[in-house]
Amino acid sequence: MDIATIIGLILGFGLIFASIAMGGGGLSPFIDAPSMMIVFGGSISAALINFPLKNVLGSFSVVLNCFFQKIPEPKALIGEFKELAQLARKDGLLALEQKSDSIEDDFMKRGIESLIGGTPADELRETMETELGCIDERHSMGKKFVDAMGAAAPAFGMIGTLIGLVQMLQSLDDPSKIGGGMAVALLTTLYGAVVANVVCIPLAGKLEARAKEETVVREMIIAGVAAIGGGATPRAVEEQLATFMAPKSRADVGAEAA
Amino acid sequence: MDIATIIGLILGFGLIFASIAMGGGGLSPFIDAPSMMIVFGGSISAALINFPLKNVLGSFSVVLNCFFQKIPEPKALIGEFKELAQLARKDGLLALEQKSDSIEDDFMKRGIESLIGGTPADELRETMETELGCIDERHSMGKKFVDAMGAAAPAFGMIGTLIGLVQMLQSLDDPSKIGGGMAVALLTTLYGAVVANVVCIPLAGKLEARAKEETVVREMIIAGVAAIGGGATPRAVEEQLATFMAPKSRADVGAEAA
Amino acid sequence: MDIATIIGLILGFGLIFASIAMGGGGLSPFIDAPSMMIVFGGSISAALINFPLKNVLGSFSVVLNCFFQKIPEPKALIGEFKELAQLARKDGLLALEQKSDSIEDDFMKRGIESLIGGTPADELRETMETELGCIDERHSMGKKFVDAMGAAAPAFGMIGTLIGLVQMLQSLDDPSKIGGGMAVALLTTLYGAVVANVVCIPLAGKLEARAKEETVVREMIIAGVAAIGGGATPRAVEEQLATFMAPKSRADVGAEAA
Amino acid sequence: MDIATIIGLILGFGLIFASIAMGGGGLSPFIDAPSMMIVFGGSISAALINFPLKNVLGSFSVVLNCFFQKIPEPKALIGEFKELAQLARKDGLLALEQKSDSIEDDFMKRGIESLIGGTPADELRETMETELGCIDERHSMGKKFVDAMGAAAPAFGMIGTLIGLVQMLQSLDDPSKIGGGMAVALLTTLYGAVVANVVCIPLAGKLEARAKEETVVREMIIAGVAAIGGGATPRAVEEQLATFMAPKSRADVGAEAA
Amino acid sequence: MDIATIIGLILGFGLIFASIAMGGGGLSPFIDAPSMMIVFGGSISAALINFPLKNVLGSFSVVLNCFFQKIPEPKALIGEFKELAQLARKDGLLALEQKSDSIEDDFMKRGIESLIGGTPADELRETMETELGCIDERHSMGKKFVDAMGAAAPAFGMIGTLIGLVQMLQSLDDPSKIGGGMAVALLTTLYGAVVANVVCIPLAGKLEARAKEETVVREMIIAGVAAIGGGATPRAVEEQLATFMAPKSRADVGAEAA
């Protein structure tokens, strides 16, 4: 679970509500169901036109996965692979079966189980890399979706404001209604700006960062599974996986190992 | 027929009309023939200046094709090719004639018929790839056209609003007309924003997604026709075509085959 | 002469004038000499600062050429080359002299005349390709120029509007003049938007499309001249040139040939 | 310490305060705590959503490092390496130990110490290049962060202004409050524009320039350490390092050396 | 000296002043020292933050050089090199000394002098190409600087306008001051738009065009010096240098030579 995103969202919306509260007049002038409907519903309708139905549904799961799916820690991963390599060298690949149930990450578990099942290391690496390609594509699809929502929300905000302005201008007879009418008209622009700038645009950035992180970990897993399948020593496995890490963190692993 | 596009368009326009209805004052202040004329006509005139006449006409058919043309399902396609491969191995290529009439997709049908007619597999693959290149170019032309319309509509919306504002400002003597004049002036901006953000921009995204999908299916067909022409076994045909699919869907095909 | 551009320009400006006429108040509030001066003159002055003098002059001729220069039809071109190839095979390259006067396209004519004059096919191809490179560069220069004008016009429109607003705001004493002052101030923005969106941006698109079309035809001519110089048969010339065309049009040529 | 940045920041903010002072009315109308809160806090919250927590913290140190970390002067560096090369050729690599304490730059010091410690030149070069890759990535991360802040600040400025406008418009009953309300509403837009245009956008440019400069110096150090490790003569070291400098500065080094 | 830039600048500013004059009210409402200060000073302060100090100073000289430095005419250059080649073939490289003083272009002069001094042609070509690389980098630095100024000026214009609006809105008590206040507030936006659109953006375009032109001439000089150093005949030198020119101009040189 990504803690910075939670803090950021709470902080962002908290500041907006605090700013509304400090201005006086309470929260009620800022809540308008039809305005919300046109901005949120409109963005969703644009997404439905923009993407095939299965991508729309898939993108929601990518976004959720991105926050709730646990990506294994690189350091812990190296330790786990060292243990597996030791076991495999001592008692053969079949001995990995007793450990495979305790592997938390599904991608790694399936890889190890294929090894036990007798899939040659080369073939397995290729299959896993193809799957990684699909994971990457799903991630970039998710980012594209959030980007499109971040562009659609302000556009529907503007459409809502234009509708509100036309309605207000048509009934200028009662000057006391001008202010209220304009205030309501501006709400959709405000909603669109909040959806885009507090949620979608930063979220797209986080999705990209998480996807990059996950790709590195997945590549470590592929390298680790292939190394064990090729009969590498625990030391060789460690060294190979450490090349995926930044020098600083690598030094930490070395220090712990020493 | 792409169902998400229909839902999205109905939802998008539905929300806009609902939002207008809820604001009171009815739909009539939002309908203005000259405003529509300048936004829609203007966008079309910009398209005529921007693209050669044949591309303008071709783009409309690309957009329509994209929604009404049926792209074969990858899974069904694999099944169909397996059957054809079986038949071809048992009774020779000429035996495919009895099946070729029942092939729905025109591109595939022509490929199989060329095989029956004796075109060598290599030459046929080349011809089909050239045709696929032309299909791709037509698709990207269609997307470019919709993108250009999506940029022209808000521009003509602004031109219409400026014309309306100048007219309103010239006759400020009667203050009661200011509101109505501005309301009408803003209508073109509203039309332009709706055309661009509810129709053109999301449609361009869908065109791109559909083109990508079609290209994969067309490449599967080319690979399948070439494999049958080369005398591959049904099993080999299936395996070769399955590489075009994502691992998950591939597993489904395998499961069904088992 | 590109008919779509003419229709588009007439339609675009026609719609704008119709929209002005329908609004009442006539055309006169929309005509203001100083406003035109600052938008049109300003865009030209920006072009003079932006491009070397010879490019400014050259760009005008590129734009005009693009509409008035006749590009040979690919199909007619193939026929013409077949005839020339027949003649050259029967009576030698010198016999082409009698035909060379009737070649309309200057680029092709010069190529054939060089062949007659004894330039080897290889050397001629190289010279013609260098010249094509220069034609391409001139075209892309022309597009760049029109793009720059399309960016400068709205900018000078805004400068003019700001000047008008400052002048109007300085003399707020007489409220009856506010409307007229603002109306005049907005005219430059309107002119800038029209120049950019009705003329420059779509024109840049057409220039690109025409340049692409001309390049294909010029490459066909180079291939044809080289093939005749190399003593190819009429049939070989036809086949070679047909590869430059889309399969559909190619089928038409074949059908006609049959 | 980069002097131009300091001068630029003082000049930029000085001009803004001077402009406020000259306008009369004092500084107080321009200071509004909630407005600052929403712009600064909002930008930080967007950064937290956009980047993983460790990158947010890392980016601050990159920005600070960039201004306070001393990058060695190329010319001084060449002199230092010449001395070290002389010493190493005369008394062996171990003799460098007496000099290594006086090396100010940490990256160079660690390189020389590894040499003394017996790391082969080839291996050391590789390690140092990997580290340089990480430094480059950190720099580009820092630039990306500042760019994101420069995009978020005006967005939150607009959100703040919309909130203020809605509040003001809701209470139009008292016309005397309109001006003050709008003035406060505009403050967030002003803060956002200042943060983006006076701080973030130019700072991102400087970060890029500094990163480029540091990379060249780090590459010089790597080349220098490798050359000494390979037993190059002082003259060879000087010539090799000089190729990293522009011809003009290179001439200066030559002149000094002569 | 680039005449089109001078004409463009005079025309652009002339039109703006003419437009102000025609509007009545004179020039004085358009001159406001604090407004100029914040736009011009602010842009300079942004440049100081954005670029290292030496680049800021260097960029001014690049911009000036670009207009006042004389680039040799390609045709004249070919003539000059032919003469030098003749002399070198007849009396040896040392004989070039008598001519070298009359070479106007500094880059060419230094090249010829190095030839006389005995630098081998290959080595000299390399040195000259490195120097050309530095000249190119300086030019692109200059363009980047002007681009940054063109982006900073409108930003500071907006900051100035926001400051003015806040001050005006704070003192709405006296309605007669509203117009004047807004007029002054808008001046900074006007200044920013003029600096960006009349000066910086077109100037960046001209810098690019001039840099391209100079690079071609410098490459001709390098080729010419290398050819003379390699003992080429005047005819070979002419032919080699002519390949740098467009076919049309090349024909002119040929015609003159004939």
Side-chain angles (χ1 to χ4, degrees), chain A residues 3-5 7-9 11-12 15-16 18-20 22-24 29-30 178-180 182-183 186-187 189-190 193-194 197-198 201-203 205-206 208-209 212-213 246-247 250, chain D residues 34 37-38 40-56 127 130-131 134 137 144 151-152 155-156 158-160 162-167 169-170 172-173:
Chain A
I3 198 74
T5 312
I7 299 175
L9 284 171
L11 183 61
L15 282 166
I16 288 170
S19 153
I20 287 172
M22 267 182 274
F30 287 92
I178 297 179
M182 271 202 69
L186 283 179
L187 279 184
T189 296
L190 175 59
V194 170
N197 295 297
V198 186
I201 296 174
L203 205 60
K206 183 66 65 77
E208 202 184 349
K212 216 171 143 187
E213 219 177 296
R250 221 187 295 171
Chain D
M37 201 183 71
I38 200 164
F40 300 114
S43 302
I44 289 168
S45 73
L48 284 168
I49 306 175
N50 201 335
F51 299 99
L53 196 55
K54 62 171 184 275
N55 290 2
V56 174
T127 313
T130 310
E131 198 175 334
C134 290
E137 185 139 328
K144 219 172 150 186
F156 277 90
M158 193 182 82
I159 289 174
L162 285 166
I163 292 175
L165 283 179
V166 169
Q167 286 174 333
L169 288 164
Q170 290 285 4
L172 269 188
D173 321 330

Side-chain angles (χ1 to χ4, degrees), chain D residues 163-216:
Chain D
I163 292 175
L165 283 179
V166 169
Q167 286 174 333
M168 182 209 79
L169 288 164
Q170 290 285 4
S171 56
L172 269 188
D173 321 330
D174 181 356
S176 74
K177 280 187 178 166
I178 297 179
M182 271 201 70
V184 173
L186 283 178
L187 279 184
T188 54
T189 296
L190 175 59
Y191 292 164
V194 169
V195 169
N197 295 297
V198 186
V199 183
C200 293
I201 296 174
L203 206 59
K206 183 65 67 75
L207 280 173
E208 202 183 349
R210 290 276 294 184
K212 215 170 144 187
E213 218 176 299
E214 187 176 340
T215 300
V216 170

Side-chain angles (χ1 to χ4, degrees), chain C residues 34 37-38 41-42 45-46 48-53 130-131 134 137 144 155-156 158-159 162-163 165-167 169-170 172, chain E residues 4-5 8-9 11-12 15-16 19-20 22-24 29-30 179-180 182-183 186 189-190 193 197-198 202 205-206 209 247 250:
Chain C
M37 202 182 70
I38 200 164
S45 73
L48 284 168
I49 305 175
N50 201 335
F51 299 99
L53 195 55
T130 310
E131 198 176 334
C134 291
E137 184 139 327
K144 217 171 152 186
F156 277 90
M158 194 182 82
I159 290 173
L162 285 167
I163 292 175
L165 283 179
V166 169
Q167 285 174 334
L169 288 164
Q170 291 286 4
L172 270 188
Chain E
T5 312
L9 284 170
L11 183 60
L15 282 165
I16 288 169
S19 153
I20 287 172
M22 269 182 271
F30 287 91
M182 271 201 69
L186 282 178
T189 295
L190 175 60
N197 294 297
V198 186
K206 183 63 67 75
R250 221 187 294 170

Side-chain angles (χ1 to χ4, degrees), chain A residues 148-167:
Chain A
M149 294 292 278
F156 277 90
M158 194 182 81
I159 289 173
T161 295
L162 285 167
I163 293 175
L165 283 179
V166 170
Q167 287 174 332

Side-chain angles (χ1 to χ4, degrees), chain E residues 51-123:
Chain E
F51 299 99
L53 196 55
K54 61 169 183 275
N55 290 3
V56 174
L57 302 175
S59 296
F60 282 114
S61 89
V62 166
V63 173
L64 288 180
N65 255 352
C66 176
F67 297 108
F68 295 113
Q69 193 192 7
K70 229 177 159 170
I71 305 175
E73 270 295 299
K75 266 188 240 175
L77 209 62
I78 293 181
E80 226 173 333
F81 270 111
K82 272 178 71 179
E83 271 182 60
L84 291 169
Q86 213 146 15
L87 203 64
R89 300 239 334 153
K90 217 175 54 190
D91 305 324
L93 284 174
L94 288 180
L96 296 178
E97 200 146 30
Q98 62 194 88
K99 281 272 182 183
S100 76
D101 284 342
S102 64
I103 298 173
E104 263 185 61
D105 184 68
D106 197 55
F107 184 75
M108 180 171 168
K109 195 175 192 167
R110 270 181 294 131
I112 294 294
E113 278 170 355
S114 294
L115 265 191
I116 299 169
T119 317
D122 275 11
E123 197 182 295

Side-chain angles (χ1 to χ4, degrees), chain B residues 44-61 141 145, chain C residues 1-8 11 206 209-210 213:
Chain B
I44 289 169
S45 73
L48 284 168
I49 307 175
N50 201 336
F51 299 100
L53 196 54
K54 61 171 184 274
N55 290 3
V56 175
L57 303 175
S59 296
F60 283 113
S61 87
M141 180 65 228
F145 180 80
Chain C
M1 180 64 237
D2 189 72
I3 197 74
T5 312
I6 303 291
I7 298 175
L11 184 60
K206 182 65 67 76
R210 290 275 295 183
E213 216 176 300

